[in-house]
Amino acid sequence: MFSKVLVANRGEIAIRAFRAAYELEAQTVAVFPFEDRNSVHRTKADEAYEIGEPGHPVRNYLSVDLIVDAAKRSGADAIYPGYGFLSENPELAAACAEAGITFVGPSAQVLELTGNKARAIAAAKDAGLPVLASSEPSTDVDALVAASESMTFPVFVKAVAGGGGRGMRRVAEPSGLREAIEAAAREAESAFGDATVFLEQAVVEPRHIEVQILADTHGNVMHLFERDCSVQRRHQKVVELAPAPNISDELRARLCSDAVAFARKIGYSCAGTVEFLVDRDGNHVFIEMNPRIQVEHTVTEEITDVDLVQSQLRIASGESLEDLGLRQEDIRIRGAAMQCRITTEDPANGFRPDTGRITAYRTPGGAGIRLDGGTTLGAEVSAYFDSMLVKLTCRGRTFEDAVARSRRALAEFRIRGVSTNIGFLQGLLQDEDFRAGNVTTSFIEERPELLTARSSGDRGTKILTYLADVTVNKPHGERPSTVYPQDKLPDIDLSVAPRDGSRQRLLELGPEGFARDLRQRKALGVTDTTFRDAHQSLLATRVRTSGLLMVAPYVARTTPELLSIECWGGATYDVALRFLHEDPWERLAALREAVPNIALQMLLRGRNTVGYTPYPERVTTAFVEEAAATGVDIFRIFDALNNVDQMRPAIDAVRETGTTIAEVAMSYTGDLSNPDEKLYTLDYYLRLAEQIVDAGAHVLAIKDMAGLLRAPAAATLVSALRKNFDLPVHVHTHDTPGGQLATYLAAWEAGADAVD
């Protein structure tokens, strides 16, 4: 047996493999891209390695080089692929062989054969299996249309590569064939990198039945009976049953015998699934082989008591079926099992995958209930990966018992925060035809009422929402007054355009001229911060765009003398997106239109722009360009650590616009009036100011975000700046200790040109 197994997968199948390896006393290794760092599977392994660069999580899981490199770094002697991602990729199997690492699966040559549906069908025909009439694979649409003339419709257009229903179209009439071929080829090219497709005869009212195979590397092959996977949506399986209900012993024997014959013919090893279509008369045809573990393997394990994942690992390590204690004559069907895939898809919305945080997660239990999942309470469901949350497998003595147990288990689930398909599954299991085992691949398509058959009452969430609303919005009962803030706005004529102000002055004079004009003015410039910093400090930045737009026209008309209105940047960008669900760019554009006469100002966090991490310079440049074009006139640029190099890309970007002001701030801290101050001294601030001036600032700002700047210190600092530099000085402080007005008066008397 292997000493250490790396699982090249995520979610529930990775956890399933870790559990199997643990029971076999092998160490386990998980891999994960940055975006999947909080996934449960990485905590279930003995070791976990981050792979790839941020920004491409799926691509990282699909990289053979990254997976093999992680195996080498961790010292793994085997790689288990699971299903999906690289599980059917012959390049991974070949790379493992070259690196001296065991690939838990069939050989690269077998993967190449089974991965090409046309070759697989040819091999099945050679093995004596019944197959459907089909065309030669091609990328030539005209050739495929011509080949269809000898076939009976309906037909399937199928991609030669891949699986999972992608690159597949059912065509009922010849008139729709060309469009279906083009669509399937595009999808196949996008999903598998190969646009080659072929035509295959369709079976009317088919059942999709697959046979589980186990084969060792010593030439021994056996089956573990069949599964019915007919209940599908767009060729994606939804519910799987084992054994298949309502089939004769004779048909079961033929299916299993053909599956074994095919596996033996192609020299298969490890676990795999041979798939068939069965028509209403009980005739079966081979369609493909999946050379890997299947999502629905759990139902086979439940009725045969064979651990398929452990069997894969032991076979790959060189053990025979006999070593595993498995003989065909000893395998019996014990009862019945059903698997339901619980996903974050919304059936009422075209099964669109939902994303979000799981706020409640309660699962069923009891006899005959098995859960295979990879999520938990508080987990974030992203758009990057498959929408499956957990697989529910229920076992009973009969098919009817398994259905009843599944219905009870579904009723016990409580998943909140994201949409799920549980209501749809409940409706499906309630259907009389399903409960009788009368299923075909068109079962869901023929019953559109199942999509809206049931929806969650979600009573608990509704009660909590009500209590939260009362607690936050009505803690003392109903509003005592019907007067709202907008009722207090002055009675002025908004149809009259506002008087020209600082905006027009900037457009006329340009940035340098505007700064000189501000410096030469006798009047103190005033910036209104209520549109940004005020509600960021006092109301967690929660004032909405609608509230700002309601008052903006009044500000434009009643106070056109303002130097600027600070209305954007800081936390407003992040909060608008994450909490208010608003577009911050739309807010900026709307405010520009509502206030055409006063310069609009934003707070820019240097290279961090409006985020919390440094971005590449091209991001800063593009952001500033877009902000300037949308309406920002003055960019107040700061860095909390006073690192001018971090601010320089933003300063350069603002100057490159040629139309906007770079107001660069010194973040004030310490106490300049304290004779014992050793670090944040007057010399410190003067050296910092010199660097800011050299960097190209139009205006020099003092940003006292903590309210530490006392009046004497303000007088000292502004006087020194006034003496050494000829740029306008703009002072910003908070009234936290109650001395803001005194600080502003002292700064003005010392020569400050503007205050907030």
Side-chain angles (χ1 to χ4, degrees):
M1 184 55 201
F2 308 113
S3 61
K4 185 180 288 187
V5 179
L6 181 144
V7 177
N9 218 301
R10 66 179 303 277
E12 69 85 15
I13 189 59
I15 295 172
R16 173 74 182 88
F18 294 148
R19 287 169 172 162
Y22 182 88
E23 292 170 7
L24 294 173
E25 299 184 354
Q27 294 289 297
T28 53
V29 180
V31 292
F32 63 95
F34 175 79
E35 290 79 3
D36 215 14
R37 62 194 181 280
N38 295 322
S39 181
V40 176
H41 82 276
R42 68 170 290 200
T43 67
K44 298 291 185 181
D46 297 306
E47 304 172 31
Y49 291 79
E50 183 176 341
I51 57 172
E53 296 293 328
H56 305 285
V58 176
R59 184 193 302 174
N60 293 336
Y61 277 121
L62 290 171
S63 171
V64 172
D65 291 340
L66 290 177
I67 297 298
V68 173
D69 178 67
K72 291 178 179 177
R73 282 190 289 150
S74 65
D77 49 358
I79 293 178
Y80 181 85
Y83 55 74
F85 292 132
L86 293 171
S87 60
E88 299 179 50
N89 191 320
E91 292 180 15
L92 177 59
C96 286
E98 184 176 342
I101 299 169
T102 301
F103 175 76
V104 182
S107 66
Q109 293 73 23
V110 169
L111 288 172
E112 288 174 355
L113 186 153
T114 57
N116 186 306
K117 291 186 177 65
R119 287 184 61 195
I121 288 172
K125 192 181 294 186
D126 288 344
L129 276 64
V131 298
L132 289 168
S134 61
S135 71
E136 290 294 322
S138 178
T139 56
D140 188 331
V141 177
D142 292 331
L144 290 165
V145 171
S148 73
E149 295 175 1
S150 62
M151 301 176 69
T152 304
F153 281 74
V155 299
F156 273 109
V157 182
K158 289 187 175 183
V160 297
R166 288 175 292 182
M168 182 187 296
R169 296 291 187 279
R170 188 177 189 274
V171 187
E173 301 291 340
S175 59
L177 181 60
R178 181 175 293 273
E179 182 181 349
I181 293 171
E182 293 171 347
R186 283 195 302 271
E187 187 174 11
E189 173 71 24
S190 174
F192 315 121
D194 185 353
T196 308
V197 298
F198 66 99
L199 306 182
E200 185 177 76
Q201 194 77 48
V203 178
V204 178
E205 296 183 14
R207 294 176 66 179
H208 185 153
I209 298 179
E210 60 189 29
V211 177
Q212 178 67 57
I213 290 296
L214 270 183
D216 60 28
T217 56
H218 305 280
N220 304 302
V221 184
M222 65 182 297
H223 68 79
L224 281 81
F225 295 103
E226 83 288 349
R227 301 184 286 258
D228 191 315
C229 305
S230 300
V231 182
Q232 304 176 4
R233 184 191 64 82
R234 297 176 187 168
H235 312 296
Q236 294 280 356
K237 300 164 187 174
V238 176
V239 173
E240 295 91 357
L241 315 169
N246 303 333
I247 70 168
S248 66
D249 291 340
E250 179 188 0
L251 174 57
R252 175 173 290 119
R254 282 190 281 123
L255 290 169
C256 294
S257 175
D258 281 352
V260 170
F262 178 76
R264 185 169 283 123
K265 175 71 176 179
I266 64 173
Y268 195 81
S269 63
C270 221
T273 306
V274 183
E275 309 206 4
F276 300 93
L277 291 180
V278 179
D279 67 17
R280 52 191 167 196
D281 297 321
N283 301 308
H284 71 283
V285 288
F286 168 90
I287 50 173
E288 65 179 350
M289 181 176 195
N290 281 315
R292 54 173 169 80
I293 198 74
Q294 294 275 76
V295 178
E296 60 273 15
H297 73 273
T298 58
V299 291
T300 297
E301 290 183 330
E302 291 302 309
I303 67 164
T304 62
D305 201 27
V306 175
D307 188 320
L308 288 171
V309 179
Q310 276 197 19
S311 297
Q312 286 182 288
L313 293 169
R314 294 179 66 182
I315 288 171
S317 71
E319 294 188 59
S320 66
L321 294 178
E322 185 176 353
D323 295 332
L324 272 62
L326 297 177
R327 297 189 305 170
Q328 188 67 73
E329 55 269 28
D330 295 334
I331 302 298
R332 298 283 186 273
I333 296 174
R334 298 178 178 88
M338 172 191 302
Q339 177 181 280
C340 297
R341 303 186 187 189
I342 312 297
T343 69
T344 60
E345 297 172 329
D346 184 359
N349 193 20
F351 284 89
R352 182 178 179 178
D354 196 13
T355 59
R357 187 176 298 278
I358 297 176
T359 57
Y361 190 68
R362 194 168 80 217
T363 56
I369 305 294
R370 171 177 172 175
L371 299 174
D372 291 77
T375 193
T376 186
L377 177 65
E380 191 75 29
V381 178
S382 75
Y384 295 120
F385 306 110
D386 184 82
S387 60
M388 188 164 63
L389 286 179
V390 60
K391 301 186 309 192
L392 168 68
T393 305
C394 297
R395 182 181 182 278
R397 291 181 61 192
T398 64
F399 171 69
E400 292 76 16
D401 291 340
V403 172
R405 189 158 281 159
S406 298
R407 290 177 58 205
R408 188 263 297 171
L410 288 171
E412 290 184 12
F413 266 109
R414 291 293 184 276
I415 302 175
R416 302 290 182 260
V418 290
S419 299
T420 71
N421 65 337
I422 289 176
F424 165 75
L425 291 170
Q426 288 177 310
L428 177 68
L429 268 59
Q430 192 66 28
D431 186 273
E432 291 299 328
D433 283 330
F434 179 86
R435 295 172 70 177
N438 300 324
V439 292
T440 66
T441 56
S442 58
F443 187 88
I444 294 176
E445 183 182 339
E446 293 169 352
R447 293 165 175 79
E449 68 276 5
L450 293 176
L451 303 182
T452 55
R454 290 170 177 249
S455 60
S456 170
D458 201 5
R459 296 180 297 274
T461 302
K462 290 176 180 176
I463 292 172
L464 288 173
T465 301
Y466 168 76
L467 292 174
D469 178 55
V470 171
T471 302
V472 173
N473 298 318
K474 304 175 184 178
H476 307 295
E478 295 296 329
R479 288 174 56 89
S481 169
T482 58
V483 177
Y484 288 85
Q486 63 262 32
D487 298 330
K488 300 179 182 181
L489 291 170
D491 186 14
I492 60 174
D493 186 359
L494 294 182
S495 66
V496 177
R499 287 187 288 134
D500 286 353
S502 58
R503 163 77 170 162
Q504 284 69 39
R505 198 158 62 249
L506 174 60
L507 292 175
E508 177 186 347
L509 301 175
E512 282 78 10
F514 184 88
R516 285 194 299 271
D517 180 77
L518 177 60
R519 180 73 191 88
Q520 293 165 4
R521 283 178 174 265
K522 298 294 185 184
L524 181 67
V526 175
T527 292
D528 179 358
T529 63
T530 55
F531 282 68
R532 202 282 303 175
D533 198 29
H535 70 99
Q536 178 172 318
S537 299
L538 301 176
L539 298 172
T541 330
R542 292 307 199 270
V543 175
R544 295 182 178 275
T545 299
S546 58
L548 299 175
L549 290 177
M550 194 172 293
V551 73
Y554 293 87
V555 175
R557 286 160 178 80
T558 58
T559 55
E561 303 86 0
L562 285 171
L563 169 64
S564 61
I565 297 175
E566 189 195 48
C567 61
W568 211 60
T572 62
Y573 194 96
D574 177 60
V575 170
L577 289 171
R578 288 206 295 160
F579 299 108
L580 302 181
H581 305 295
E582 296 182 348
D583 186 338
W585 294 97
E586 290 181 359
R587 173 183 294 188
L588 176 59
L591 287 172
R592 175 77 288 164
E593 183 178 356
V595 186
N597 59 326
I598 302 173
L600 298 185
Q601 181 173 310
M602 79 162 289
L603 184 65
L604 191 70
R605 297 166 173 153
R607 280 187 60 196
N608 292 16
T609 60
V610 288
Y612 302 97
T613 187
Y615 295 111
E617 288 188 19
R618 64 179 183 276
V619 174
T620 304
T621 301
F623 184 91
V624 168
E625 287 178 358
E626 187 65 25
T630 308
V632 174
D633 300 300
I634 300 175
F635 291 85
R636 176 175 287 168
I637 304 164
F638 85 104
D639 179 78
L641 299 178
N642 286 330
N643 185 337
V644 177
D645 289 336
Q646 287 290 87
M647 297 188 278
R648 194 179 298 275
I651 298 170
D652 293 341
V654 173
R655 293 192 65 91
E656 285 172 11
T657 66
T659 59
T660 57
I661 298 291
E663 179 180 294
V664 186
M666 301 186 294
S667 296
Y668 181 82
T669 190
D671 184 0
L672 202 57
S673 299
N674 184 353
D676 294 327
E677 177 65 58
K678 302 300 182 185
L679 180 58
Y680 300 107
T681 63
L682 184 59
D683 286 341
Y684 167 85
Y685 287 111
L686 290 176
R687 286 195 302 272
L688 176 60
E690 184 177 9
Q691 294 177 54
I692 289 173
V693 172
D694 291 343
H698 295 116
V699 177
L700 186 60
I702 301 170
K703 182 173 172 57
D704 174 31
M705 61 193 99
L708 300 177
L709 184 63
R710 305 291 191 270
T716 301
L717 180 56
V718 173
S719 296
L721 293 174
R722 191 72 300 131
K723 180 180 179 181
N724 289 275
F725 307 100
D726 197 35
L727 293 186
V729 176
H730 192 159
V731 181
H732 165 93
T733 186
H734 281 230
D735 198 32
T736 309
Q740 183 186 51
L741 287 178
T743 297
Y744 279 158
L745 284 172
W748 169 57
E749 290 176 345
D753 301 286
V755 297
D756 284 2

